[in-house]
């Protein structure tokens, strides 16, 4: 177990689809985490209304307040998301927009790791780079490498059980979680070099 363990990460899932490939990856994460790291799902982005400044003026939605609290209390956030039309799914961007209105900003200085899965050949890479842009505005500490971009996801997730079956994909995810845990531990010690 790393010296700074236990660490607690939370997952922000970008798909609402029942048989989502990204959801399958999210389910696999606790079993791929290094010793001393626990990983839990945040609430659903489906619980957020569409962002509207007039709605905000009447008070932040309960879903945004609750998710912001859960993010603030976690050591790190793992975003697991599809790519829609070369970018961030609208529902996920909407949730991030609401979360950015909570004070204090739950993402400020928060370690964030990115994972994506898609049926395409680039594995959601473009959504990840757009997410990185939003996280600059939010002053999050986004982890760099190894990257997790699961291409051709339908071939890597068992259609009957919904399990992430592909061994190389499991290995790269485990490697990212291990490196992310070291990144978060260094962040907690104030020892990050970048
Ligand atoms: C509106 C929409 C746009 C999409 N755009 C892309 C895209 O730009 N790149 C890509 O690789 N896949 C794209 N896809 C296909 C997704 O990779 C595929 O639907 C995937 O299963 C979604 O993730 P999920 O299984 O976690 O819901 C798109 C799907 C939808 C519904």
């Amino acid at each position: 177990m790393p010296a700074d363990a236990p660490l607690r990460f939370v997952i922000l899932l970008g798909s609402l689809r029942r048989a989502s490939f990204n959801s399958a990856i999210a389910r696999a994460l606790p079993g791929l985490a290094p010793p001393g790291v626990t990983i839990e799902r945040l609430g659903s982005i489906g619980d957020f209304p569409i962002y509207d400044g007039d709605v905000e003026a009447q008070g932040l939605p309960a879903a945004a307040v609750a998710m912001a609290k859960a993010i603030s209390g976690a050591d790190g956030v793992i975003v697991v998301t599809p790519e829609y039309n070369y970018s961030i799914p609208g529902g996920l961007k909407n949730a991030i927009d609401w979360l950015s209105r909570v004070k204090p900003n739950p993402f400020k200085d928060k370690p964030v790791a990115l994972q994506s899965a898609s049926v395409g050949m680039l594995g959601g890479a473009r959504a990840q780079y757009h997410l990185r842009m939003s996280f600059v505005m939010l002053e999050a500490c986004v982890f760099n490498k190894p990257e997790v971009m699961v291409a051709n996801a339908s071939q890597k997730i068992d259609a009957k059980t919904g399990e992430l079956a592909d061994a190389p994909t499991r290995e790269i995810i485990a490697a990212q979680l291990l490196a992310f845990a070291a990144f978060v531990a260094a962040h907690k010690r104030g020892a990050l070099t970048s």
Side-chain angles (χ1 to χ4, degrees):
M1 190 184 295
D4 298 80
L7 296 173
R8 215 169 59 75
F9 300 159
V10 289
I11 301 170
L12 179 51
L13 181 63
S15 175
L16 292 172
R17 199 167 70 88
R18 199 163 12 94
S20 158
F21 298 126
N22 286 277
S23 163
I25 286 171
R27 279 195 305 277
L29 296 187
L32 297 171
V37 173
T38 56
I39 305 182
E40 290 160 26
R41 278 271 304 275
L42 289 166
S44 170
I45 60 169
D47 294 337
F48 288 69
I50 293 175
Y51 180 79
D52 177 339
D54 294 335
V55 173
E56 183 188 359
Q58 289 163 34
L60 288 164
V65 174
M67 193 180 283
K69 192 173 170 205
I71 290 171
S72 294
D75 295 306
V77 179
I78 306 170
V79 181
V80 186
T81 185
E83 170 180 292
Y84 286 171
N85 295 309
Y86 286 15
S87 191
I88 306 167
L92 176 60
K93 181 63 163 54
N94 180 61
I96 290 171
D97 291 341
W98 272 117
L99 290 165
S100 75
R101 306 300 291 168
V102 180
K103 291 188 180 54
N105 164 16
F107 285 111
K108 181 158 170 55
D109 298 328
K110 186 66 62 180
V112 174
L114 304 178
Q115 300 182 354
S116 55
S118 117
V119 296
M121 285 170 56
L122 295 185
R126 291 159 293 214
Q128 288 203 20
Y129 285 103
H130 285 186
L131 276 168
R132 284 181 183 273
M133 288 172 59
S134 291
F135 282 128
V136 170
M137 175 61 184
L138 291 166
E139 299 183 77
C141 289
V142 183
F143 176 75
N144 286 327
K145 283 180 168 179
E147 295 174 305
V148 172
M149 294 157 175
V150 182
N152 305 315
S154 56
Q155 296 164 29
K156 294 169 181 164
I157 286 144
D158 188 305
K160 283 201 186 107
T161 63
E163 272 180 52
L164 175 60
D166 186 63
T169 304
R170 295 178 68 87
E171 276 167 31
I172 187 67
I173 290 174
Q176 191 204 51
L177 293 176
L178 185 63
F180 184 55
F183 175 84
V184 172
H187 180 77
K188 284 182 89 165
R189 289 196 303 271
L192 272 190
T193 53
S194 58

